[in-house]
Amino acid sequence: MRGSIPFPADQEAAPGLPGDDEADWQPILVKRKGATKHKILTERIIADIDANVLPPRARMPTHRDLARKLGVSVQTVSLSYKEAERRGYLRGEVGRGTFVRSRVTEKADRFMLDRNEGETMDLSIVRAVYTEAHEHASRIVMQRLAEADNSTFMRPCRPIAGLDPHRAAAQTWLRGLGVEANKDRILITNGAAHGLFLAVAAVVQAGETVLTECLTDHGIIGLANVLGFNLRGLPIDREGILVEAFEEACAAGGVTALVLVPTLGNPTSHVMGAGRRQAIAEVARRYGVFVIEDEVYKPLLEEPLPAFAELLPDLGFFTTSFTKSVLTGLRVGYLVVPSHYSIRVASIMRVTTWSATNLAAEIAARWIEDGTAQELLDVQRQEARARQTIVSEILSEHIAQTHPLSLCAWLKVPPRWTEEGLVRALAQNHVAVTPSDPFIAGETDAGGIRICLGGRLSHGALAEALHIVRRTFDQLPPVFDVSSIA
């Protein structure tokens, strides 16, 4: 099977991938009255992971080796590893061992704070472009809502899955994304992340295995930590997950679901073609694996591509929203579920949010019906193309992968630099970007820097920020790089 290096696709895995070598870890256990040995060991594991003594993706000692080193039973080590897995710190891989899990932590948050754009040119967050057209459309719909009889959607939040007019509008929007679904299969959500949570919670139990891209949106990594399932990243190329890697993982057994971003995937902007989607669907069908597709970016793509919800009507979940394609602040989404999961997913929604926000769903429905959503989508496409052109003109030799309609670009790390060193150097010049750490869900040496192109930045401000990136990339790093200090 090819290595987990996305760029270029035919490059073989280099030796020494993270996790190849066992961590040189010498834990010191301090006895406490009333505390069991496995509790003390569990606390030590978690403390050393939080302190980066055990870095992300490091391979833990085998149960037997650690038991012998510490003078405890193998059962004690097994209990500690299991508890650390349950709490989202470790992940076990059949036949390979136990590894430190990449986590959404304060470190990740630090790279992606919503900064004051007056002080920092923020290229760290994927946002839809905001223009005067968006401002005008927002003011118009607010005025019309203020003048209308809003009793139909301002009433108590029933039904939970969404009001019928909102689900009817959803059908129209979803049809343009290649999904034909009756209203009973559609739930209105508070964005795609909400839909992803509902879908995963409906089919995955704590301790089960979920597959995803080795570089993936940090939302699913966070869900693994919250819901306690084992997240395993699969190698990718320029179309996303490799079919042979997916089949190999399924054949090994124990896989419950595949979660993926097939269109303009974050952070690499890959687009999975029709043939790859059909091949992935066939493997999922053969092994009975659920496929949950996060298609928040699919409205931006003009090429018609099949949806897994259509290819796998009994196993496919489809979630999308307006936040990345129409208006960032319009946090409303649509989740399509297999027909026999409608009641189950609605019950999970009831105990978490009761229902989605009707006001946002009403705005989305009105914009779908009067054509505003399509007009703003066209603006996003036009802006994405223009901004990607600017990226290409300034940073062409540094681009690892992007797409003309993507809201971000994945950049190669120049020789001698580290990702964190680049992030620090750019921050000193008031440009915020994101390294690979928040996106790593599996073994990969395909590090990089993600830059985002949306928000309120003008073309001129974006070009200024990209020139700073270019100048920084072209410099030699400091002789003493403080980012390398543990």
Side-chain angles (χ1 to χ4, degrees):
M1 185 176 70
R2 281 185 283 184
S4 56
I5 302 176
F7 321 118
D10 57 355
Q11 185 176 352
E12 294 296 331
L17 286 174
D20 281 354
D21 299 321
E22 186 176 293
D24 183 17
W25 182 51
Q26 300 290 332
I28 299 175
L29 305 185
V30 180
K31 294 182 179 179
R32 292 200 321 274
K33 186 177 180 179
T36 62
K37 290 180 181 179
H38 85 261
K39 180 178 181 181
I40 294 171
L41 177 56
T42 302
E43 291 173 351
R44 183 74 268 154
I45 291 170
I46 291 172
D48 283 353
I49 291 174
D50 284 340
N52 208 40
V53 173
L54 287 168
R57 306 183 304 287
R59 185 167 65 184
M60 298 292 291
T62 66
H63 296 207
R64 191 173 300 281
D65 285 349
L66 186 57
R68 184 170 56 250
K69 183 184 295 185
L70 297 177
V72 299
S73 69
V74 173
Q75 182 184 19
T76 294
V77 176
S78 297
L79 289 171
S80 296
Y81 278 18
K82 189 66 177 177
E83 177 61 15
E85 281 191 52
R86 187 189 68 80
R87 294 167 67 174
Y89 285 84
L90 297 177
R91 59 179 173 84
E93 293 190 14
V94 177
R96 297 198 63 247
T98 302
F99 298 85
V100 177
R101 174 179 281 171
S102 297
R103 294 169 56 78
V104 178
T105 63
E106 290 82 0
K107 180 179 177 182
D109 293 340
R110 187 173 73 246
F111 295 130
M112 294 181 289
L113 294 177
D114 197 358
R115 297 166 176 83
N116 183 337
E117 293 186 3
E119 300 174 357
T120 299
M121 291 176 280
D122 193 351
L123 309 183
S124 71
I125 303 174
V126 180
R127 289 172 288 199
V129 177
Y130 192 89
T131 68
E132 183 58 37
H134 298 87
E135 182 73 23
H136 177 72
S138 300
R139 290 182 182 277
I140 292 297
V141 75
M142 292 300 180
Q143 290 172 358
R144 290 176 178 172
L145 286 170
E147 298 166 356
D149 176 8
N150 297 327
S151 60
T152 55
F153 66 88
M154 294 300 286
R155 63 191 181 190
C157 301
R158 291 179 180 274
I160 293 166
L163 300 176
D164 282 346
H166 297 165
R167 294 164 89 183
Q171 285 181 294
T172 301
W173 189 253
L174 290 165
R175 192 171 295 119
L177 303 180
V179 181
E180 289 284 349
N182 60 48
K183 286 190 291 185
D184 290 341
R185 293 178 57 205
I186 300 172
L187 291 90
I188 310 299
T189 65
N190 292 319
H194 184 203
L196 181 62
F197 169 81
L198 294 172
V200 172
V203 299
V204 179
Q205 301 295 315
E208 294 182 344
T209 297
V210 173
L211 305 176
T212 191
E213 301 98 340
C214 63
L215 288 171
T216 191
D217 188 273
H218 55 89
I220 186 60
I221 300 174
L223 273 186
N225 296 333
V226 171
L227 297 178
F229 57 82
N230 298 315
L231 187 66
R232 179 180 169 191
L234 296 179
I236 61 176
D237 63 9
R238 292 181 178 273
E239 286 193 60
I241 287 174
L242 302 178
V243 178
E244 58 267 34
F246 179 47
E247 180 151 23
E248 182 179 317
C250 292
V255 175
T256 301
L258 169 68
V259 175
L260 74 171
V261 185
T263 307
L264 300 175
N266 182 23
T268 61
S269 302
H270 63 260
V271 175
M272 185 176 287
R276 180 75 60 89
R277 293 175 191 238
Q278 290 162 357
I280 291 285
E282 176 55 35
V283 174
R285 182 184 298 108
R286 194 158 64 246
Y287 290 95
V289 172
F290 293 99
V291 177
I292 302 170
E293 53 184 324
D294 180 352
E295 287 285 33
V296 68
Y297 302 104
K298 193 174 187 181
L300 291 167
L301 204 69
E302 295 167 301
E303 176 188 357
L305 288 170
F308 287 99
E310 293 291 307
L311 297 172
L312 297 165
D314 294 329
L315 295 169
F317 291 76
F318 180 102
T319 183
T320 189
S321 82
F322 291 80
T323 55
K324 298 296 193 290
S325 57
V326 176
L327 181 69
T328 295
L330 189 56
R331 188 157 291 280
V332 57
Y334 304 136
L335 171 64
V336 180
V337 305
S339 57
H340 52 293
Y341 273 87
S342 297
I343 294 175
R344 181 178 179 84
V345 176
S347 70
I348 297 172
M349 175 179 275
R350 183 180 184 278
V351 299
T352 53
T353 60
W354 186 268
S355 69
T357 305
N358 283 339
L359 179 58
E362 177 71 12
I363 293 173
R366 289 179 179 230
W367 278 0
I368 291 170
E369 292 164 0
D370 67 14
T372 300
Q374 184 60 51
E375 291 173 5
L376 295 181
L377 177 57
D378 291 339
V379 171
Q380 288 298 323
R381 290 169 175 164
Q382 179 181 347
E383 280 293 324
R385 286 193 176 94
R387 289 161 190 253
Q388 286 288 349
T389 297
I390 296 171
V391 173
S392 179
E393 290 171 350
I394 298 173
L395 292 172
S396 58
E397 66 267 39
H398 296 293
I399 298 172
Q401 185 166 358
T402 191
H403 187 280
L405 291 171
S406 178
L407 295 171
C408 64
W410 188 238
L411 306 181
K412 296 174 286 189
V413 177
R416 296 178 294 276
W417 278 97
T418 64
E419 293 179 36
E420 196 161 332
L422 280 172
V423 171
R424 290 174 183 271
L426 289 169
Q428 290 172 355
N429 287 290
H430 308 291
V431 176
V433 299
T434 310
S436 65
D437 186 65
F439 311 110
I440 295 174
E443 289 190 24
T444 176
D445 65 348
I449 298 292
R450 187 193 69 179
I451 57 171
C452 302
L453 316 177
R456 291 178 177 267
L457 281 177
S458 66
H459 291 187
L462 175 62
E464 179 185 353
L466 296 180
H467 278 297
I468 292 173
V469 173
R470 169 65 182 267
R471 289 195 297 270
T472 304
F473 276 35
D474 288 347
Q475 292 291 319
L476 291 174
V479 174
F480 182 64
D481 183 1
V482 295
S483 71
S484 65
I485 300 175

